[in-house]
Amino acid sequence: MSRVVPAVPVVPVAPVVPPRAGPLEARMSELAGRRVPFVKATVVRARRPASARPGDTALVLADGRIEGFVGGVCAEATVRVQALRTLRDGESLLLRISPGETADGTGEPVVEEGAVSVRNPCLSGGELEIFLEPLRPAPRVLVFGESPIARALLDFGPALGYAITPVSGADGSGLPAAGALAGTRAVVIASHGRDEERVLLAAVRAGVPYVGLVAGLRRGAAVLAGLAHELDEEQRARVRTPAGLWIGARTPGEIAVSILAEVIKELRSPVTEAPAVEEVRGTAPVTDPVTATDPVCGMEVAGSAATTPYSDAGGAGRQWFCCPSCRETYEKDPVRHTRARTRTGTEAGDS
């Protein structure tokens, strides 16, 4: 006699829905999509009575604007200065902010490998540790042509973390207009004579840091000579031809390696290492931050009219402040604070 096995009820399983991205995550995605550099600042440790808590996050843009929360205005002033430096250098940093003297007792920032400790006299007694992570767009490299060298460049480039973009078409129809080349770090022309002049003109006039022409010595010189009526001598000198460092390369793959090595050398030079930025409304190019000293509390602050309180009172030139409170204190007696700051600076210089 067969045994009847009762049917096992099927329980429907609800689909797993990924958590919805918050406003800050959505903003990060937007900035990354527009190739706009920024710094992600995350509080990793806070000692009361700090207003920020571990996990609080903010984004610092290239013009010094801060979106999100990592502390009050005084903490923001320190975060702004250090974040802009990391954005310029491209290296992550652990920022320690304390109202007390730094370890060396001088009051100056103490720099260690991967960390910096800063005295912030305006803090209300708490301490903060904030991880600063610069997020810069991958260097964009355009490769014009369909030659074996061009294909090798497209194969090897992504391994360097570069955004390699092929530009095909013998007539150059795929080449972006000069305005659209903003933010491009390198253009390599490997089309072997096909529409080279138009591509060279567009790249040089757009100010692309590296422009390389794959050609022999004689042909490359002839191409540049033919552009003498379009480009001046300095502009023609910016074109690297033959493109690539001399390493005895012979095959298309070896030549591609030599070209990429020259691109790396150019983009890592102090003159061109600051990342170019797309011309997007509301963004600013990444440069060394201009800093000043608050004449009231002595804090180092970013000198940016868009993000930092300032005053022209007192006749001593524009003064920058960590917060509106210091500005109000200064404007009550500008001469006193200017003299005090000058005297302190003189004493420090004499010591």
Side-chain angles (χ1 to χ4, degrees):
M1 182 174 176
S2 61
R3 185 178 177 185
V4 178
V5 179
V8 178
V10 178
V11 179
V13 178
V16 177
V17 180
R20 188 175 182 179
L24 211 58
E25 287 76 11
R27 177 64 168 152
M28 289 174 60
S29 297
E30 176 202 349
L31 293 173
R34 292 162 53 200
R35 296 181 56 79
V36 176
F38 62 94
V39 174
K40 181 181 180 183
T42 305
V43 178
V44 295
R45 176 180 173 271
R47 194 185 77 177
R48 297 175 186 270
S51 57
R53 294 291 178 267
D56 286 344
T57 305
L59 308 181
V60 184
L61 305 186
D63 61 1
R65 285 178 295 152
I66 295 180
E67 302 178 7
F69 182 78
V70 286
V73 290
C74 292
E76 280 190 350
T78 300
V79 169
R80 179 178 291 112
V81 169
Q82 298 299 330
L84 292 179
R85 286 175 176 156
T86 65
L87 193 57
R88 172 62 177 83
D89 298 337
E91 299 291 337
S92 297
L93 179 73
L94 178 63
L95 171 62
R96 302 187 183 101
I97 309 175
S98 171
E101 289 291 346
T102 49
D104 61 1
T106 65
E108 295 297 318
V110 175
V111 180
E112 308 169 65
E113 184 175 358
V116 61
S117 300
V118 178
R119 177 177 180 264
N120 186 324
C122 295
L123 290 185
S124 56
E127 294 180 353
L128 290 171
E129 291 187 5
I130 301 172
F131 184 68
L132 304 177
E133 180 185 8
L135 298 168
R136 310 193 300 185
R140 184 167 62 185
V141 178
L142 298 185
V143 178
F144 177 77
E146 299 177 346
S147 65
I149 294 174
R151 291 194 292 270
L153 286 166
L154 297 175
D155 289 339
F156 297 157
L160 301 175
Y162 291 175
I164 300 285
T165 303
V167 182
S168 60
D171 60 354
S173 58
L175 183 73
L181 285 171
T184 297
R185 309 304 309 284
V187 172
V188 181
I189 299 100
S191 58
H192 294 294
R194 295 179 177 85
D195 205 35
E196 293 170 332
E197 293 83 358
R198 194 172 73 85
V199 181
L200 282 170
L201 285 174
V204 171
R205 288 172 174 170
V208 176
Y210 177 90
V211 181
L213 172 63
V214 177
L217 280 170
R218 181 179 298 178
R219 193 175 72 81
V223 171
L224 294 180
L227 295 175
H229 62 293
E230 297 281 358
L231 302 175
D232 59 32
E233 184 177 354
E234 182 181 355
Q235 289 175 314
R236 297 196 305 275
R238 289 184 44 227
V239 178
R240 310 297 180 89
T241 185
L245 299 178
W246 174 250
I247 58 174
R250 293 180 179 273
T251 68
E254 292 172 346
I255 295 171
V257 169
S258 74
I259 293 172
L260 289 172
E262 190 172 45
V263 171
I264 294 170
K265 181 180 178 182
E266 174 65 23
L267 300 189
R268 289 297 186 186
S269 71
V271 177
T272 60
E273 192 170 5
V277 182
E278 299 268 1
E279 292 295 331
V280 179
R281 185 182 300 276
T283 68
V286 178
T287 57
D288 289 318
V290 177
T291 61
T293 300
D294 185 321
V296 176
C297 68
M299 274 182 55
E300 184 182 31
V301 297
S304 168
T307 59
T308 308
Y310 65 89
S311 174
D312 295 320
R318 178 159 293 182
Q319 303 292 318
W320 304 92
F321 305 91
C322 68
C323 62
S325 177
C326 279
R327 177 175 60 187
E328 292 171 7
T329 300
Y330 171 82
E331 291 181 337
K332 291 177 182 178
D333 192 350
V335 176
R336 171 195 166 197
H337 292 289
T338 301
R339 286 177 178 170
R341 182 54 49 195
T342 302
R343 184 169 60 253
T344 302
T346 303
E347 292 171 353
D350 293 339
S351 60

